[in-house]
Amino acid sequence: MTRTGDARRTAIVDRAMHVASVEGLEGLTLGRLAEVLRTSKSGIQTLFGTKQELQLSIVAAASRVFERDVLLPAEQQPAGLPRLRALMSLWIDYLETFEGGCLFVAAASELDGRSGPVRDAVADAVARADALLQRDVELARRLRELPSDTDVEQLVFELHAMVLQANHDRQLLGRKDALTRARNAVDHLLGIEQQTGDAASPT
């Protein structure tokens, strides 16, 4: 593929991520994308070949966005609780990246009962994010920034649940305070309010 073709493909995928976050990966056919972009279906088909290739390209691109906007900036923070807090804050910010909210939340709900390469790609992306979250929780526990008896897997479950609930409330219910509530819930789970209160208590 020529550089011009690569650039056009990238531009199309960038737009397709937003459309898929609203209409779903399954709803985004080559014809529908051509309609949104006001171009020919044959032109889209030349670049992607099949609907499945388009879907996989969208999932891969969304993964790169998540890495760029969430994972890499969080890695710049000191290991332990600062990095964990940054990861969660950036992850909550990510919910505003696409027009329809988190593309992976939408895709997971759409594909969780199915099988195939697209479902596997979505599952792999979610599993990678969860693994990094678990790594940072475990490290914060080992550094004694979280209690030594912290149930790492339970805390990971609850932190991820805060992200899912925030996306649900923001997108489905139109609650403008959803992201703020998610941040407050994360702070509570990580004991940040308790630490602040302890620091302010008279000795």
Side-chain angles (χ1 to χ4, degrees):
M1 185 177 292
T2 65
R3 290 184 179 178
T4 301
D6 286 340
R8 177 161 170 72
R9 181 184 171 105
T10 299
I12 289 173
V13 170
D14 285 346
R15 180 62 186 139
M17 286 189 288
H18 289 279
V19 179
S21 72
V22 175
E23 301 186 10
L25 283 172
E26 283 298 302
L28 186 59
T29 62
L30 298 176
R32 173 57 181 152
L33 184 56
E35 179 184 340
V36 170
L37 297 174
R38 297 182 179 179
T39 189
S40 66
K41 179 180 176 181
S42 61
I44 302 291
Q45 195 161 19
T46 297
L47 291 171
F48 296 98
T50 65
K51 176 181 175 179
Q52 179 173 286
E53 184 180 347
L54 172 63
Q55 291 172 323
L56 291 172
S57 296
I58 291 169
V59 173
S63 295
R64 291 192 294 270
V65 172
F66 187 81
E67 180 178 0
R68 181 196 70 200
D69 293 352
V70 180
L71 301 184
L72 292 180
E75 288 294 317
Q76 303 306 310
Q77 299 301 314
L81 196 56
R83 184 179 297 167
L84 176 59
R85 291 176 66 182
L87 175 63
M88 291 306 304
S89 179
L90 291 162
W91 200 337
I92 292 169
D93 287 343
Y94 176 79
L95 300 181
E96 297 185 287
T97 299
F98 300 116
E99 293 172 12
C102 181
L103 188 147
F104 292 106
V105 173
S109 298
E110 188 178 15
L111 301 172
D112 59 4
R114 305 187 184 190
S115 60
V118 180
R119 184 264 185 199
D120 292 345
V122 171
D124 287 346
V126 173
R128 287 196 303 271
D130 252 13
L132 288 172
L133 180 56
Q134 180 156 343
R135 179 204 66 180
D136 288 342
V137 170
E138 175 63 34
L139 185 55
R141 186 187 65 81
R142 292 208 315 267
L143 292 172
R144 299 182 180 179
E145 295 172 339
L146 291 173
S148 59
D149 62 351
T150 296
D151 184 331
V152 172
E153 292 188 1
Q154 181 65 30
L155 182 53
V156 169
F157 181 93
E158 292 176 7
L159 288 171
H160 199 170
M162 294 303 99
V163 176
L164 298 178
Q165 185 68 36
N167 191 76
H168 171 276
D169 283 9
R170 180 174 179 269
Q171 294 302 131
L172 183 63
L173 304 179
R175 292 179 176 167
K176 296 180 179 180
D177 64 344
L179 303 191
T180 298
R181 289 191 177 279
R183 295 182 196 283
N184 292 340
V186 167
D187 286 350
H188 179 73
L189 284 173
L190 297 181
I192 294 170
E193 293 177 339
Q194 181 64 44
Q195 291 176 6
T196 301
D198 289 347
S201 297
T203 55

